[in-house]
């Protein structure tokens, strides 16, 4: 791919405007989904370049009751200038007030009557790792506090706080108040915004391809500025753009491998990223002591209580197969829940209809080590490799199983063997029914999964009228697998 030419000034402006429209369209999706799914304090209108809110007017989300959200959206083509003290307190290129000064002025106006507010600086610029304040930003809350308050007046952070307070025209106590509600939504580059929009549009029951995302942003651009978009306006736009394809869903965010880009929009969040081993999303396999699988199981199984009354649920985040399966069992079909997850650009829903069950191909391997049944669901791994790995583990650990039953799709284990949600549901039902027949006299099932995450979720959702099940995770250690969860079925 050849390098792109240096953008023109007009090109930068157009790109920056489109970036703002994407952020505003995300607000419209929040408005639509929260009002449809019955959120406790939903967004009631979305403003773009709204009047009366100073420089925090780029995107405004007004909720039924405060705190309302006020955003300043700033796009940069290059990444040479990160978000640091100079970026925030230097005068504008025209010699006007600094970014921090403008934000502080708007904050004083918006909070003059002691009303709580939620402020955000939204930009694709990254934080400066060498800056004493922006470098300590909490990625979970996007706030600089509490770490930015550490250190006395002679520390690097203390001196920086004094400079910030002077530039903002605030006392240090008032600067602390400002920083307690000012989110630094940083490194939000266009691909990440596109990913967030794809997930939120899917959760809102809308088409979520690139064209649909751009259609939504272009609709925002066509609206009259300084006005507020209401629920009826957004619903009319969805109808006009022919975006609606399914129900709006509550969002359950579960992250163990990397932060979930839509965690901030979720109705319930389980964030275990820092509680799993290693710093790389590619090598995270198991909880980092003292965290345990049992604690994660408790958190996942408590999720239905947090989403009480919500039956259509979209699962987002990054989890391995055992937690995905457990999530499905927490919202089993008998509860009336309809789970959905985005799988390779498709929304796989437990309610998607199919014509006939897919009966898996079954292959038995005798072990004669006990009375339990081991089951390996293999969709993606070369059959011999998975079978050998599981057999080796069962023998090495002296697991009390009589037989290993390896189940594969009718077309065999390979990429693309499950083309869509309908096929995934058909295979999940076929696997469950096969195991119902095979486990009538079995005390316990030992389950090993090598499949798309979406199938693990759908399979757990239908895991009923079976035997108590131990679910294993591939931890890539000397023992190969590790018992993660025990599920009553």
């Amino acid at each position: 791919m050849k390098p792109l030419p240096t953008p023109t000034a007009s090109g930068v402006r157009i790109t920056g405007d489109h970036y703002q429209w994407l952020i505003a369209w995300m607000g419209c999706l929040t408005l639509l989904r929260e009002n449809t799914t019955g959120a406790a304090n939903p967004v009631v209108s979305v403003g773009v370049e709204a009047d009366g809110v100073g420089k925090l007017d780029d995107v405004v989300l007004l909720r039924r009751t405060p705190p309302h959200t006020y955003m300043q959206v700033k796009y940069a083509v290059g990444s040479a200038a990160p978000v640091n003290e100079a970026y925030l307190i230097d005068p504008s290129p025209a010699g006007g007030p600094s970014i921090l000064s403008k934000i502080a002025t708007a904050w004083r106006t918006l909070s003059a009557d002691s009303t709580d507010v939620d402020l955000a600086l939204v930009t694709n610029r990254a934080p400066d790792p060498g800056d004493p304040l922006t470098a300590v930003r909490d990625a979970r809350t996007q706030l600089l506090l509490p770490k930015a308050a550490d250190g006395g007046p002679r520390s690097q952070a203390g001196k920086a706080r004094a400079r910030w307070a002077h530039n903002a025209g605030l006392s240090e106590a008032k600067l602390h108040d400002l920083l307690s509600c000012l989110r630094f939504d940083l490194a939000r580059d266009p691909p990440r915004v596109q990913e967030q929009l794809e997930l939120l549009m899917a959760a809102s029951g809308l088409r979520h391809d690139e064209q649909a995302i751009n259609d939504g942003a272009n609709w925002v651009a066509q609206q009259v500025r300084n006005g507020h978009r209401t629920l009826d306006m957004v619903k009319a736009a969805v109808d006009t753009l022919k975006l609606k394809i399914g129900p709006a869903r509550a969002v359950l965010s579960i992250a163990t491998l990397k932060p979930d880009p839509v965690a901030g929009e979720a109705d319930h969040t389980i964030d275990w990223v820092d509680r799993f081993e290693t710093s790389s999303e590619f090598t995270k396999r198991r909880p980092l002591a003292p965290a345990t699988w049992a604690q994660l199981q408790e958190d996942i199984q408590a999720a239905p209580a947090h989403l009480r009354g919500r039956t259509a649920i979209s699962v987002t985040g990054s989890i391995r197969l055992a937690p995905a399966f457990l999530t499905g069992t927490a919202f089993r079909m008998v509860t009336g829940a309809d789970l959905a997850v985005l799988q390779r650009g498709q929304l796989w829903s437990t309610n998607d209809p199919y014509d006939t069950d897919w009966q898996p191909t079954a292959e038995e391997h005798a072990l004669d080590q006990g009375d339990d049944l081991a089951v390996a669901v293999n969709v993606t791994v070369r059959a011999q490799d998975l079978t050998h790995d599981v057999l080796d583990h069962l023998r090495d650990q002296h697991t009390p199983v009589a037989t290993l039953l390896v189940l594969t799709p009718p077309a065999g284990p390979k990429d693309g063997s499950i083309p869509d949600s309908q096929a995934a549901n058909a295979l999940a039902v076929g696997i469950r029914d096969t195991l119902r027949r095979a486990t009538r006299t079995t005390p316990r099932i030992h389950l090993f999964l090598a499949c798309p995450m979406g199938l693990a979720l759908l399979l757990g959702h239908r895991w009923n009228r079976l035997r108590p099940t131990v679910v294993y995770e591939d931890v890539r250690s000397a023992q190969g697998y590790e018992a993660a969860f025990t599920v009553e079925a």
Side-chain angles (χ1 to χ4, degrees):
M1 185 174 181
K2 295 181 178 179
L4 295 173
T6 302
T8 63
S10 60
V12 172
R13 185 180 66 253
I14 292 170
T15 304
D17 286 345
H18 185 69
Y19 182 78
Q20 180 180 346
W21 307 148
L22 289 173
I23 301 298
W25 177 239
M26 193 173 297
C28 292
L29 295 175
T30 302
L31 166 73
L32 179 66
R33 191 182 59 79
E34 289 188 348
N35 282 273
T36 305
T37 61
N41 185 25
V43 173
V44 294
S45 68
V46 179
V48 180
E49 299 186 4
D51 285 332
V53 296
K55 290 300 181 180
L56 291 162
D57 65 341
D58 289 339
V59 179
V60 176
L61 307 184
L62 298 182
R63 294 190 174 274
R64 186 176 295 163
T65 59
H68 307 307
T69 297
Y70 304 88
M71 306 181 202
Q72 184 170 20
V73 181
K74 299 186 75 67
Y75 176 80
V77 174
S79 56
V83 176
N84 54 20
E85 181 175 310
Y87 175 77
L88 291 167
I89 74 173
D90 282 355
S92 71
S98 68
I99 292 172
L100 181 62
S101 175
K102 292 175 183 177
I103 290 175
T105 299
W107 171 68
R108 281 191 291 262
T109 300
L110 293 169
S111 61
D113 58 356
S114 299
T115 299
D116 289 338
V117 293
D118 171 44
L119 313 180
L121 172 63
V122 182
T123 178
N124 60 323
R125 295 177 188 266
D128 185 345
D131 186 86
L133 298 185
T134 60
V136 298
R137 166 181 169 271
D138 189 326
R140 298 166 299 178
T141 64
Q142 301 176 340
L143 297 173
L144 303 189
L145 297 178
K147 290 186 178 180
D150 291 345
R154 294 186 178 182
S155 67
Q156 290 298 314
K159 293 175 182 178
R161 289 195 301 269
R163 292 190 295 269
W164 283 37
H166 176 74
N167 182 267
L170 302 171
S171 66
E172 288 201 42
K174 285 294 185 181
L175 176 67
H176 185 281
D177 292 342
L178 170 59
L179 294 182
S180 70
C181 63
L182 174 58
R183 293 184 290 110
F184 286 76
D185 192 350
L186 309 181
R188 201 169 178 183
D189 55 28
R192 181 167 176 260
V193 173
Q194 291 274 347
E195 180 186 5
Q196 290 174 303
L197 284 167
E198 181 185 24
L199 291 165
L200 281 178
M201 290 182 76
S204 301
L206 308 182
R207 287 194 295 110
H208 44 273
D209 53 88
E210 185 176 359
Q211 183 60 54
I213 292 171
N214 287 331
D215 286 346
N218 291 337
W219 174 79
V220 171
Q222 292 167 4
Q223 302 307 298
V224 178
R225 295 184 181 184
N226 301 325
H228 287 275
R229 284 81 187 154
T230 63
L231 179 60
D232 288 342
M233 292 178 67
V234 176
K235 284 182 174 179
V238 165
D239 290 340
T240 300
L241 299 173
K242 298 180 180 179
L243 297 178
K244 192 70 175 175
I245 57 173
R249 300 173 178 274
V251 174
L252 170 62
S253 169
I254 306 177
T256 63
L257 307 181
K258 62 180 180 178
D260 182 4
V262 297
E265 301 286 339
D267 298 275
H268 181 58
T269 301
I270 299 173
D271 183 359
W272 268 62
V273 173
D274 294 334
R275 299 173 72 180
F276 260 58
E277 289 181 346
T278 84
S279 59
S280 169
E281 65 188 84
F282 301 105
T283 56
K284 287 179 182 287
R285 296 281 173 175
R286 54 151 73 99
L288 175 65
T292 65
W293 289 114
Q295 291 170 330
L296 179 57
Q297 179 164 0
E298 183 178 345
D299 284 356
I300 291 176
Q301 290 182 329
H306 293 279
L307 296 173
R308 188 173 286 113
R310 315 287 185 89
T311 55
I313 299 163
S314 181
V315 180
T316 66
S318 54
I319 52 178
R320 293 204 176 275
L321 298 178
F325 178 87
L326 180 68
T327 302
T329 67
F331 293 89
R332 263 176 268 205
M333 180 179 284
V334 294
T335 67
D338 169 23
L339 294 181
V341 66
L342 205 58
Q343 182 74 47
R344 294 184 179 179
Q346 299 178 352
L347 192 69
W348 286 14
S349 165
T350 55
N351 271 10
D352 283 339
Y354 59 92
D355 294 329
T356 57
D357 299 349
W358 275 24
Q359 291 301 314
T361 301
E363 183 180 278
E364 293 189 8
H365 300 268
L367 282 101
D368 299 322
Q369 297 179 174
D371 297 324
D372 294 352
L373 176 69
V375 177
V377 176
N378 184 17
V379 175
T380 56
V381 180
R382 208 168 62 141
Q384 288 184 333
D385 292 344
L386 179 69
T387 301
H388 289 163
D389 287 348
V390 174
L391 284 172
D392 287 346
H393 173 80
L394 295 171
R395 289 176 179 135
D396 290 345
Q397 300 301 311
H398 306 289
T399 309
V401 300
T403 304
L404 168 64
L405 185 63
V406 181
L407 303 179
T408 60
K414 60 182 180 180
D415 286 344
S417 60
I418 305 178
D420 52 33
S421 178
Q422 290 77 15
N425 277 286
L427 181 58
V429 172
I431 291 171
R432 181 202 61 191
D433 291 350
T434 295
L435 293 179
R436 281 178 177 173
R437 294 188 294 269
T439 59
R440 286 174 181 153
T441 61
T442 299
R444 190 166 51 169
I445 299 171
H446 299 262
L447 181 63
F448 300 80
L449 298 167
C451 63
M453 188 270 278
L455 178 64
L457 184 79
L458 269 57
L459 187 59
H461 177 73
R462 297 178 185 274
W463 203 257
N464 62 314
R465 290 180 57 209
L466 288 163
R467 310 304 298 165
T469 303
V470 182
V471 191
Y472 291 76
E473 187 60 78
D474 179 2
V475 293
R476 296 285 175 92
S477 67
Q479 69 189 65
Y481 294 90
E482 186 170 274
F485 311 115
T486 299
V487 175
E488 295 298 326

